[in-house]
Amino acid sequence: MLAAAVNDHLFWITSRAAGTLALLFSSVAVGVGLSMGGKLIKGRGPDLRTVHEALSMATIVAIVVHAVALLGDTFMHPSLADITIPFVSSYMTAWTTIGIVGGWMMIILGLSFYARARIGQQRWRKLHRFTALAWILGLAHSLGEGTDAGKLWFLVATGIVAVPAAVLLVIRMSPRRHAPRAVAPEAVAR
């Protein structure tokens, strides 16, 4: 009896843990990526590309485990289509669809790094900007559908990694302010 309860619970808890890890890894990866791409640490700090790449790959693995583990969940009984195709699942359809779209975006955009030479560096950079949208969709999915969404520990853990990434995203999206040009004294006298 205990073995059956553990087995039934194992898939759900695995999916739950992997989903939480995907959110935490992706938040840190987005924060590191925004730090690298902006003027915050460029040329001033360590090269964080390897850290960013490792976090991105960890995010992809966690997303896949999060979805695939649900296939063994005896409460939901999702099909492969339910976990991979938007609007198919009848369980919290909107939040599930947001998660599926965000997950696919994160996987495709993360793996696009390895196709930069074929895509072209400039085109890849433009494409890679959509990673922030994928991250926001994942954040919305976890806060809207996640089992732990209302739990204090989850909100604190999410806030610790998501708030800094969100602040960096807002800074990146803000219009650049240029320092006012000094006006030559002779131009003022005229």
Side-chain angles (χ1 to χ4, degrees):
M1 184 155 148
L2 178 62
V6 169
N7 287 337
D8 289 347
H9 186 71
L10 182 64
F11 291 104
W12 172 76
I13 198 71
T14 300
S15 177
R16 179 179 168 195
T20 300
L21 285 174
L23 178 63
L24 299 177
F25 288 151
S26 66
S27 296
V28 176
V30 166
V32 169
L34 288 166
S35 296
M36 289 178 355
K39 303 233 184 251
L40 292 175
I41 61 171
K42 215 175 213 173
R44 291 186 217 159
D47 184 359
L48 297 174
R49 288 180 290 190
T50 304
V51 172
H52 180 63
E53 182 180 0
L55 287 165
S56 299
M57 290 300 103
T59 298
I60 290 170
V61 169
I63 289 169
V64 170
V65 171
H66 173 58
V68 171
L70 285 175
L71 292 174
D73 187 315
T74 56
F75 174 74
M76 289 180 51
H77 299 290
S79 67
L80 186 59
D82 287 332
I83 64 167
T84 58
I85 302 171
F87 301 107
V88 170
S89 175
S90 60
Y91 180 77
M92 299 183 83
T93 304
W95 294 118
T96 300
T97 294
I98 287 169
I100 291 169
V101 171
W104 279 119
M105 284 177 68
M106 196 66 83
I107 291 168
I108 292 165
L109 293 167
L111 294 176
S112 73
F113 172 80
Y114 301 103
R116 281 184 329 232
R118 288 184 177 203
I119 296 171
Q121 188 69 24
Q122 293 294 49
R123 192 172 297 134
W124 176 78
R125 283 184 183 270
K126 288 179 182 176
L127 183 66
H128 195 64
R129 290 179 186 158
F130 286 99
T131 303
L133 176 59
W135 171 68
I136 290 168
L137 291 174
L139 190 58
H141 167 72
S142 67
L143 293 173
E145 182 177 354
T147 302
D148 299 309
K151 305 267 191 313
L152 181 61
W153 73 265
F154 181 78
L155 295 172
V156 169
T158 300
I160 288 170
V161 294
V163 169
V167 167
L168 289 169
L169 182 59
V170 168
I171 291 169
R172 172 64 70 81
M173 293 177 68
S174 298
R176 302 220 186 258
R177 294 185 183 174
H178 298 288
R181 293 184 185 174
V183 179
E186 59 275 0
V188 173
R190 291 184 192 168

